[in-house]
């Protein structure tokens, strides 16, 4: 309602100063009355307690006097009386503290209600004054005088009807970056002290050209100001900079009251909405009949549409440096959570349920039962662009011993999880290794297999920045494993997630044969193929996890073989020697070093992880060969096992189009292979009579004719 230039031209700021002074005087009177009322009530309580205590002491004293007149042990009776008096004193001190807490809580609620009513009254007065001033512009634009009758004034001073917004957040602005100019001004303003709301809002909205930018400036100022750290006395002068925010510090005014005040000075309609919230301490499926879940939030009319804004929750989550230079670089400040600046109703309803259904701002409002049945969803869920693949209730029951929860992630996201027994007497460690997370394209699937019959809380954590250490809670459910169900005995390897790792995008490698990172091994050799978009050095690592143990594992060096690699794709062969769970990790790095595919994988970055479940052991119980760093454009035909029997002739056959000569070396004896008409290098090689001897295939390559380079390695057993 009106721009900064309109306010300046029509003298709105001057009128605001005048009205604000009158409202401050009214507010001072209210705060004085509240202080006096508080003192009266506390004094009354103290007097009541004193009367009760004195009455009890007198009663006990008379009883002891009666007993001492009947007994000769007067000294012992006197000592006993003194002890009883001390006990009574302590009892009444405890009673005083308890009753004082209840009294202060009751007074605080009454004080908040009184202040909220005054804020509402002052906000309406401010908006009405601005509406009267802006009537002048309307008259000038229409080219004739209009009497400021009640109906005309009502049109300018009353907010529109409450209804679902016609535009989504994404339609209003593409990114918070569009507010950089407004944000930078709010940051600088937050460093300054103001003694009036008029001067504060004037400075905040100086560069604003729309209602949306005004709301942004007010929202950001509150989230950056860190109002919980205000240090002031209750008797602070109301005209001082701290007096402006005394209601926040004294606990009589909420963030929402302050935000409503600021909005009224900016000419914006703001409503404080009462209801229930799934905030701190709320667990999936809990009832909403506790006062601890009562809450309030705000909606602001922006360009004729009601939009949810929550400056309280927007300021409470993340701490970090401001985006401009600071006087003290080491100082940490509150940083706004963007989710709470214009929240779409369909997302808002996961956290807040208003007393009045119209303030759901939904076309089809839901019931309280429906609200409780929704999963607990936190702001990072929406900020990271996550979605549920289908509708889920907050309470899920296992089928065949497990529950599957599927999310949609539009960008590569790191996930974590926690499965926690609802019964706190149960051992939390028993729930470890019972969750399997895999990503398939944009699908993220959580398979949760509780360790025993009972109820569990399951929380999903997420973050976009894989480098940072902290994951943020995204959503949570309650899972029930029933007695009718079959509890799964197997543990999953303790790996955060399976599928693509963050580096996969930088290295341009894509799964071709197995996009699902969960693979069943059936006894036959398993071939996993990836497409390459650039020349990389790649390697694979296979680890076996012992049954029933989510962390204990062993390296299966002869269980994986780089079967084929070219500039366009790479193929790994997997051979699982025994039944159980295996983790297959693919590593990659730039191919600009002398070392290569057989390097220690720790020098490279992990690109992809598979979970391989072997329900049967490999039909071939011999291990696989080991590829060396020159194994490029090559394909092994035989022998396709890494362990060769001694004192035996073995036929070697392989494709190596880049080789000029190929030889097999065993114990310093060289056997040269011949190239047949099908371009296959082949020849018989005698393995010798010595065990534990390495067998290496060497090639003289076109780009390095001066020496033989190793291609693949075997061992004689």
């Amino acid at each position: 309602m009106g721009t900064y230039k309109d306010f300046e031209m029509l003298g709105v700021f001057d009128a605001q100063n005048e009205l604000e002074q009158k409202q401050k005087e009214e507010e001072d009177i209210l705060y004085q009355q509240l202080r006096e009322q508080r003192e009266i009530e506390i004094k009354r309580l103290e007097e009541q307690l004193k009367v009760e205590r004195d009455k009890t002491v007198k009663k006990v004293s008379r009883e002891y006097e009666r007993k001492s007149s009947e007994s000769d042990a007067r000294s012992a009776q006197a000592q006993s009386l003194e002890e009883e008096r001390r006990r009574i004193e302590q009892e009444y001190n405890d009673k005083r503290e308890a009753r004082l807490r209840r009294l202060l809580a009751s007074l605080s609620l009454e004080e908040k209600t009184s202040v909220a009513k005054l804020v509402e009254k002052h906000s309406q007065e401010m908006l009405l004054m601005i509406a009267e001033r802006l009537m002048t512009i309307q008259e000038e634009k229409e080219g004739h005088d209009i009497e400021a009758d009640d109906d005309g004034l009502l049109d300018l001073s009353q907010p529109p009807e409450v209804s679902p917004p016609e535009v989504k957040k994404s339609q209003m602005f593409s990114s918070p970056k569009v507010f950089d100019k407004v944000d930078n001004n709010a940051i600088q303003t937050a460093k300054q002290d103001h003694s009036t709301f008029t001067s504060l809002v004037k400075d905040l909205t100086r560069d604003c050209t729309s209602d949306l930018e005004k709301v942004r400036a007010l929202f950001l100022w509150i989230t950056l100001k860190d109002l919980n750290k205000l240090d002031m006395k209750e008797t602070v002068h109301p005209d001082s900079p701290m007096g402006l925010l005394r209601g926040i510090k004294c606990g009589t005014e909420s963030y929402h009251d302050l935000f409503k005040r600021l909005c009224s000075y900016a000419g914006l309609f703001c409503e404080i909405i009462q209801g229930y919230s799934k905030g701190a301490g709320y667990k999936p499926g809990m009832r909403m009949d506790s006062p601890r879940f009562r809450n309030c939030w705000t909606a602001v009319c922006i360009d004729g549409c009601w939009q949810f804004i929550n400056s309280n929750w927007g300021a409470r989550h993340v701490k970090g440096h401001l985006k401009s230079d600071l006087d003290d670089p080491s100082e940490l400040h509150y940083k706004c959570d963007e989710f709470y600046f214009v929240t779409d109703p369909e997302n808002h309803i996961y956290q807040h349920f208003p007393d009045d259904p119209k303030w759901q701002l939904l076309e089809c409002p839901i019931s309280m039962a429906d609200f409780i049945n929704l999963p607990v969803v936190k702001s990072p869920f929406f900020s990271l662009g996550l979605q549920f693949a289908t509708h889920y209730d907050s309470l899920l029951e296992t089928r065949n011993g497990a529950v599957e929860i599927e999310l949609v992630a539009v960008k590569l996201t790191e996930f974590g999880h926690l499965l926690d027994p609802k019964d706190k007497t149960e051992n939390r460690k028993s729930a470890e290794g019972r969750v399997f997370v895999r990503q398939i394209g944009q699908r993220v699937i959580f398979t949760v297999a509780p360790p025993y019959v009972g109820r569990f809380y399951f929380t999903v954590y997420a973050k976009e920045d894989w480098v940072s250490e902290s994951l943020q809670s995204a959503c949570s459910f309650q899972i029930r494993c029933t007695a009718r169900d079959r509890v799964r005995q197997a543990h999953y390897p303790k790996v955060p997630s399976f599928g693509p790792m963050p580096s996969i995008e930088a290295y341009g490698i894509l799964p071709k044969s197995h996009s699902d990172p969960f693979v069943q091994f059936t006894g036959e050799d398993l071939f996993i193929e990836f497409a390459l978009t650039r020349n990389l050095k790649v390697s694979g690592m296979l680890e076996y996890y012992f049954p029933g143990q989510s962390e204990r594992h062993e390296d299966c060096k002869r269980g994986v073989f780089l079967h084929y690699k070219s500039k366009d794709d790479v193929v790994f062969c997997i051979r699982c020697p025994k039944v159980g769970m295996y983790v297959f990790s693919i590593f990659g790095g730039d191919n600009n070093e002398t070392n290569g595919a057989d390097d220690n994988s720790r020098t490279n970055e992990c690109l992809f992880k598979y979970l391989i479940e072997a329900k049967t052991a490999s039909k071939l119980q011999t291990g696989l060969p080991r590829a060396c760093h020159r194994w490029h454009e090559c394909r092994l035909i035989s022998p396709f096992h890494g362990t060769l029997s001694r004192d035996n002739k073995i036929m070697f056959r392989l494709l190596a189009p880049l080789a000029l000569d190929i030889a097999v070396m065993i114990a310093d004896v060289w056997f040269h292979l011949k190239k047949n008409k099908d371009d296959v290098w082949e020849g018989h090689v005698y393995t010798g009579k010595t065990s534990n001897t390495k067998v290496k295939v060497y090639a003289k390559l076109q780009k390095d004719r001066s020496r033989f380079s190793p291609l693949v390695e075997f061992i004689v057993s």
Side-chain angles (χ1 to χ4, degrees), residues 164 276 278 288 345-375 391-393:
Y276 293 87
K278 295 181 178 180
M288 276 287 179
E346 62 270 23
N347 297 337
H348 192 268
I349 194 62
Y350 276 96
Q351 297 183 345
H352 303 289
F353 185 84
D355 295 333
D356 188 341
K358 72 180 181 182
W359 280 113
Q360 294 181 25
L361 299 184
L362 295 171
E363 294 290 350
C364 299
I366 67 173
S367 67
M368 172 62 85
D370 292 333
F371 176 66
I372 292 174
N373 284 336
L374 290 173
H391 172 77
Y392 291 102
D393 289 336

Side-chain angles (χ1 to χ4, degrees), residues 9 36 51 144 151 162 213 234 238 249 353 362 390 403 494 555 558 563 592 605 619 654 659 679 683:
M9 180 181 66
E36 291 173 354
V51 170
H144 55 85
D151 292 338
V162 178
E213 289 186 347
E234 200 168 297
K249 189 60 179 179
F353 185 84
L362 295 171
T390 186
V403 162
K494 199 171 180 180
D555 191 357
R558 293 291 182 173
H563 178 58
N592 55 5
E605 295 188 68
K619 295 177 181 178
L654 69 151
D679 293 329

